[in-house]
Every structure is written in structure tokens, then in C-alpha cells.
Amino acid sequence: MPSFKSHFVSFVLRHSRKQAFSSPESLQRWIANARKTEDHQPPASVRSRLDITTRTVNDFPVYEIAPKGDEQRRILYLHGGAYVFEITSYHWNLIAEMADRLGFGITVPIYPIAPEHDFHDMFGMVGEVYRQMLEETEAEDIVFMGDSAGGNMAVVLTMMAAEEALPLPSRHVLISPGLDMSLSNPKLFEAERNDPWLGIPGGLEAIRMYSAGIDRSDWHISPVYGDLSVLPKTLLLTGSHDLLTPDNLIFAEKARAAGVEVDVIHEEGMFHVWPLIDMPESRRARQHIVAFLSESQTPVRQNARTLFEAPSAEAAE
């Protein structure tokens, strides 16, 4: 049963953030207001407990959280925000917890966002970040993690890396990802009614501003339509009250059919990106992430050499 706090958060979202996605005009107003206050820097509470440095790639900041001890593995974290909103303290708190609990280094690109920038700018920057990571870290020691739009970007970036014949990351952690941005599934209309946060009209506007004229059913925008066989072992977290969940479950089945191991955490009553918010359900979700990334790396490295021909995993609840 969903916790009291999750019900409270859902109520607040439905009477606040849901408005941002109610229409194209409303989303544009929310973006304009956000630009006045957004700050991509890690909160002081995060800076005080982690070794963080900053550099630039393509004139945009990249934060580097140093690994603990002799740990070699790294996470490339791609934040969500519908491609139009900046990283938040909620993202940073999740990133800090992963750094503390796993000991991994974490790379956090503050990538260019729409409408000031578009798909080409975003992937030009994060693609370069990944290529630079490969100069220092073996691909088998790299994990892509992303929430919402960042989950989409993690999958697309892996597919683009495969096209370039670059080494591919060892695992994906996808938190409420947007994997079919065509938003054409009829089941989405019912899902929208249950979702306290996202809406189809605002979502389509965000995609329009970000997609640089690329068709929404192109795999660069909707990776569910791409070659899923190149993907690594994946943990997918999605909630029953998330607009994106019907398509996430389709993605999981298609990926398994393509030979990818996919573990699904389908949390009853949970809304979009719930693992970012401090409540009982998010603590459970974060434990799933830590357990998934703490598993022995040996099977994953074997999968990478054999194009991920391991049998599909069963969905977890």
C-alpha cells in the first residue's frame, strides 16, 4: 500500500506541477519562470560530504564526483526535466547517496536544454563527455543512469555509441524513462488521468522544442523503435501512476525479445521519478539500484563481449 507521504506528494504535484504540462502555453510559462531561479550547482550539503570538481565540455559544466578508495567504476548520470528544466536538488541528493553507498565516481553533465538548445546540442555535449570518460575508464566499468528525459538520453546515447563502434556501457539504470516520445499509445490517455504530474499536451510541446524537427517515432527521439539488442543489462523503475509506464513496459518486453536482460521494478501507486523524493517507496527503490549495481561485474562483461545474448530476466515487483 502506498505510504501516507506518497499520497501527500501526489496531492501536491496534482495541484502544482501538473499545471506545467496542461498545455503548450503553460509549459512555456513554467520554463520562463524556472530560468529566473534555476541553479545547477550541487547543494552545500552535497558539496560538504563529497569530493567534487568542475570542468567544461563544449562550454557547459560537468561535475565530477571522485570515487572512494580504489573503486574504478563510474556512473554517467543524466538528469531529467523534460529536456527543458535544469538539474535540481532532488537529483543531487540521489546522486550523492549513490556516491556514498556505492563508492563509484559519478560524472554529471549539465547538458544544454531546450528551447535555447536542441537534440543536436545535447548529444553533441554528452557524447563528448562519454568519449572523454572512455579515455580514462574501461567501458565495462561505466554505468549510464538517468531519470525521465535523462533515461531516454541514456538509451539513445548507447545506441549512438554503438553506431560509432564505441565501447558500450556495462549497465543501465533507468528511472521513469521516456522511451516512446511519440506519445501515440492509446493507453496513455487513461495513464494521464492517474498521473499527478505529467500531461500529454505539455509533453508534446517539450518534445517539439527539443527534437530539432526529427520525427517523434525516430529512434533518436523514441529509442523503443531502435535496435535494442545493443543495450546492456538494465534496471528499469516505473510506477503505476506514471504516464510513461505503459510504454516502459512495452520497452522492457521488446528489449527482452532482443536478448537484453531487463529487471523491472513496477511500483504500485507510484508517480513519475518517485525514487528522487524522500519517502518509504524511494528508499526501497534506491536499495534496488544499489543491489543491482553491486552485483558481480563478471557476467556483465561477458554479455558485453557476446552482444548481450544472456536470457531475459523476469520482471520484479
Side-chain angles (χ1 to χ4, degrees):
M1 178 181 297
S3 66
F4 173 80
K5 184 166 184 180
S6 74
H7 283 295
F8 175 74
V9 173
S10 292
F11 176 84
V12 172
L13 288 171
R14 190 172 293 278
H15 292 85
S16 58
R17 299 288 298 188
K18 182 84 170 180
Q19 298 172 16
F21 292 93
S22 62
S23 70
E25 296 76 18
S26 183
L27 182 68
Q28 291 167 9
R29 286 194 297 271
W30 277 72
I31 293 170
N33 289 329
R35 293 296 184 270
K36 300 173 184 177
T37 59
E38 287 175 322
D39 182 0
H40 59 70
Q41 298 185 61
S45 60
V46 172
R47 283 186 173 276
S48 67
R49 57 196 245 232
L50 297 171
D51 181 3
I52 303 178
T53 57
T54 312
R55 59 192 176 91
T56 60
V57 172
N58 294 2
D59 298 323
F60 285 87
V62 178
Y63 290 96
E64 296 283 1
I65 299 175
K68 294 185 177 180
D70 296 327
E71 180 59 69
Q72 299 298 311
R73 284 174 286 181
R74 299 199 65 85
I75 294 172
L76 173 61
Y77 192 94
L78 298 168
H79 73 83
Y83 313 103
V84 299
F85 295 114
E86 196 53 89
I87 193 170
T88 70
S89 61
Y90 295 101
H91 296 103
W92 279 118
N93 288 334
L94 173 64
I95 290 165
E97 182 172 332
M98 293 299 104
D100 281 336
R101 296 180 65 180
L102 292 165
F104 295 6
I106 304 183
T107 297
V108 186
I110 308 301
Y111 57 83
I113 54 178
E116 296 89 346
H117 304 277
D118 64 16
F119 171 92
H120 302 293
D121 301 319
M122 294 180 196
F123 281 94
M125 190 265 189
V126 299
E128 179 59 25
V129 170
Y130 182 50
R131 284 187 286 271
Q132 291 181 11
M133 290 179 72
L134 289 172
E135 294 175 2
E136 300 180 350
T137 305
E138 296 292 333
E140 61 192 11
D141 290 323
I142 296 176
V143 173
F144 286 0
M145 183 184 301
D147 67 279
S148 191
N152 169 292
M153 294 177 69
V155 178
V156 173
L157 182 59
T158 295
M159 291 177 169
M160 293 177 74
E163 276 202 329
E164 293 184 38
L166 293 174
L168 305 181
S170 65
R171 294 197 175 197
H172 279 173
V173 175
L174 309 177
I175 302 170
S176 302
L179 301 173
D180 186 350
M181 296 290 90
S182 72
L183 299 184
S184 59
N185 185 344
K187 292 184 178 180
L188 297 189
F189 294 102
E190 180 180 354
E192 183 182 34
R193 289 193 293 271
N194 293 325
D195 190 318
W197 190 339
L198 302 181
I200 293 173
L204 290 173
E205 177 65 3
I207 297 160
R208 183 193 68 78
M209 291 188 287
Y210 146 78
S211 61
I214 303 171
D215 190 274
R216 295 199 308 270
S217 62
D218 186 293
W219 67 261
H220 292 86
I221 305 301
S222 296
V224 70
Y225 301 117
D227 180 7
L228 304 185
S229 70
V230 304
L231 302 182
K233 184 171 182 178
T234 295
L235 176 64
L236 178 102
L237 301 99
T238 197
S240 68
H241 288 183
D242 186 342
L243 169 66
L244 302 178
T245 289
D247 290 329
N248 287 341
L249 298 179
I250 291 172
F251 167 85
E253 290 308 309
K254 289 184 69 173
R256 287 170 179 154
V260 181
E261 289 189 65
V262 183
D263 295 340
V264 175
I265 305 301
H266 181 237
E267 187 79 18
E268 187 63 34
M270 286 302 99
F271 44 82
H272 191 60
V273 298
W274 87 93
L276 274 65
I277 298 172
D278 183 22
M279 54 189 188
E281 293 85 357
S282 69
R283 291 190 284 275
R284 185 161 59 240
R286 293 179 186 197
Q287 182 57 38
H288 283 300
I289 295 170
V290 170
F292 177 76
L293 294 181
S294 298
E295 293 174 359
S296 169
Q297 292 293 93
T298 302
V300 179
R301 294 179 183 184
Q302 291 173 345
N303 286 347
R305 297 190 190 105
T306 59
L307 294 181
F308 314 109
E309 293 175 347
S312 300
E314 293 299 321
E317 293 187 1

